[in-house]
Amino acid sequence: MKALFIGGTGTISSAITKRLAEQGRELYLLNRGTRNGELPAGVKIIEADINDEKQVAKLIEGMRFDVVADFIAFVPSQLERDYRLFAGKTKQFMFISSASAYQTPLSDYRITEGTPLSNPYWEYSRNKIACEEFLIKQYREQGFPITIVRPSHTYDERSIPLGVHGSKGTWQVAKRMLENKPVIIHGDGTSLWTMTHNSDFAKGFIGLMGNIHAIGETVHITSDESVTWNQIYEVIADALGVKLNAVHVSSSFLDACSTEDYRGGLLGDKANTVVFDNSKLKRLVPDFVATVRLDQGLKRTVEHILAHPELQAEDPKFDAWCDKVIAALDAAVAAVNAE
């Protein structure tokens, strides 16, 4: 199999790249070369900015692929560019959409690929829906061989997956835990969430590559394990060797008093209970099973970050904001009790 990945070094794509390299597949990565230092041997690089369509067209002139996958397309114009570049050059075009495109709020917490797409809270999700609609139109009218993949919350060893954090990542939350400071959990922490280790995602994705039954299909790839946010934070605190000091705050309140995108990231995503039905994926990839249990995966992630100081990006602005929010809640409770 000869494959081309647009991107190939992100949280999701890096695990797929690694696994394909281990299998000896012929893999090309088209990217700007800024994160290629740790690529496995055998991976070929086409160094270019995908947004420079003329340059890319020259570089891939005469090339044909079994699979082309775009991991970094977010708006329809980028898919229109991909169609111009790869129509007639690939047997399968795979687009990474998002499970956040599913109906929000859900009418049924159990999500299948037939769940309606609608997210009034998050522009990111609405753009992904528009991307899907463009590709489906090309499949129906032009025979463009698409497969749409919807990941949910996928993580690796480089970042602790959390619900509420600042623009510089999630380390500051872990640092607050280590310092015995209270940490914010959105809502009451009892809503169910699904996190998928990128190595498990890679198994499902590779099973869809070159799969004739996946052409024209939309498939989500997630773990079958659902846990509460309280459990997620407890596991992280345990991995850090500290006791969790949690403060539960309404997602709507967090959105109202933050400059971060909590409207999209929380109200349009993580504040909602989600349980994924992976029956379709398992029909298409019969041997798929997610084997990294969340508590084990999170502990490995925490251990890796503790051993790599370069991954410990501090965020004083977010830290101060957390203190301010918690102080405001304490003041409100005191004011009500004083009446």
Side-chain angles (χ1 to χ4, degrees):
M1 180 187 296
K2 182 179 180 181
L4 170 68
F5 287 176
I6 303 168
T9 60
T11 297
I12 289 176
S13 57
S14 61
I16 306 169
T17 295
K18 179 181 178 181
R19 196 172 183 91
L20 288 174
E22 290 171 349
Q23 295 175 357
R25 305 291 184 92
E26 186 177 3
L27 176 61
Y28 294 79
L29 302 188
L30 195 164
N31 59 41
R32 292 177 294 178
T34 57
R35 297 178 63 182
N36 290 341
E38 298 181 4
L39 287 177
V43 176
K44 302 176 177 67
I45 303 299
I46 301 175
E47 190 168 321
D49 183 343
I50 185 61
N51 297 304
D52 188 342
E53 187 174 338
K54 289 184 179 180
Q55 182 194 18
V56 172
K58 284 184 179 180
L59 291 172
I60 64 171
E61 187 175 0
M63 300 180 75
R64 297 290 185 275
F65 303 95
D66 296 302
V67 179
V68 172
D70 194 333
F71 292 89
I72 55 174
F74 302 98
V75 295
S77 61
Q78 294 169 327
L79 273 302
E80 293 167 7
R81 171 207 63 211
D82 288 353
Y83 178 74
R84 290 191 296 269
L85 285 169
F86 299 108
K89 284 183 171 288
T90 184
K91 298 176 184 177
Q92 183 184 28
F93 180 86
M94 303 181 74
F95 167 60
I96 309 302
S97 184
S98 171
S100 68
Y102 288 120
Q103 183 183 60
T104 305
L106 289 161
S107 56
D108 188 329
Y109 72 94
R110 293 165 297 189
I111 299 174
T112 72
E113 286 81 358
T115 298
L117 304 183
S118 175
N119 193 329
Y121 297 98
W122 207 358
E123 184 180 12
Y124 164 83
S125 305
R126 294 193 296 275
N127 284 335
K128 288 289 191 178
I129 293 170
C131 288
E132 290 193 22
E133 290 172 343
F134 170 78
L135 289 177
I136 291 169
K137 178 177 169 57
Q138 303 316 307
Y139 170 69
R140 290 174 176 167
E141 298 181 2
Q142 306 298 330
F144 191 47
I146 65 165
T147 299
I148 294 170
V149 178
R150 295 177 185 145
S152 185
H153 199 161
T154 307
Y155 70 101
D156 66 3
E157 75 282 358
R158 293 175 289 186
S159 178
I160 302 169
L162 287 170
V164 180
H165 58 83
S167 60
K168 295 185 178 180
T170 57
W171 168 250
Q172 192 65 44
V173 179
K175 187 171 185 289
R176 288 181 69 87
M177 290 184 185
L178 290 169
E179 294 172 348
N180 197 34
K181 287 184 176 182
V183 297
I184 294 171
I185 300 178
H186 60 277
D188 64 2
T190 62
S191 59
L192 293 172
W193 193 244
T194 300
M195 291 183 179
T196 308
H197 195 271
N198 68 344
S199 62
D200 282 331
F201 184 93
K203 299 175 195 174
F205 189 89
I206 291 172
L208 295 174
M209 292 177 65
N211 187 331
I212 60 172
H213 303 292
I215 302 300
E217 297 289 350
T218 300
V219 190
H220 54 238
I221 303 175
T222 78
S223 169
D224 291 317
E225 181 184 17
S226 294
V227 296
T228 68
W229 282 103
N230 286 334
Q231 289 174 311
I232 291 167
Y233 278 76
E234 286 283 2
V235 167
I236 293 167
D238 183 63
L240 290 167
V242 298
K243 181 177 176 58
L244 178 64
N245 181 6
V247 175
H248 294 91
V249 184
S250 157
S251 297
S252 297
F253 183 81
L254 292 171
D255 170 50
C257 62
S258 174
T259 57
E260 303 291 342
D261 186 17
Y262 290 143
R263 178 173 175 79
L266 287 183
L267 300 182
D269 198 28
K270 297 179 182 67
N272 301 279
T273 281
V274 293
V275 177
F276 293 92
D277 181 341
N278 285 296
S279 299
K280 185 173 184 179
L281 173 64
K282 292 173 183 178
R283 287 196 303 272
L284 294 169
V285 187
D287 61 349
F288 173 79
V289 59
T291 57
V292 180
R293 202 175 69 202
L294 183 63
D295 60 328
Q296 297 170 338
L298 288 180
K299 286 178 181 178
R300 293 209 302 260
T301 295
V302 169
E303 289 171 1
H304 182 83
I305 291 174
L306 289 175
H308 291 81
E310 70 275 13
L311 298 175
Q312 300 170 17
E314 296 193 16
D315 192 343
K317 182 179 178 182
F318 172 75
D319 195 52
W321 177 83
C322 289
D323 291 337
K324 191 174 181 180
V325 169
I326 293 166
L329 290 176
D330 290 341
V333 171
V336 170
N337 289 336
E339 293 180 359

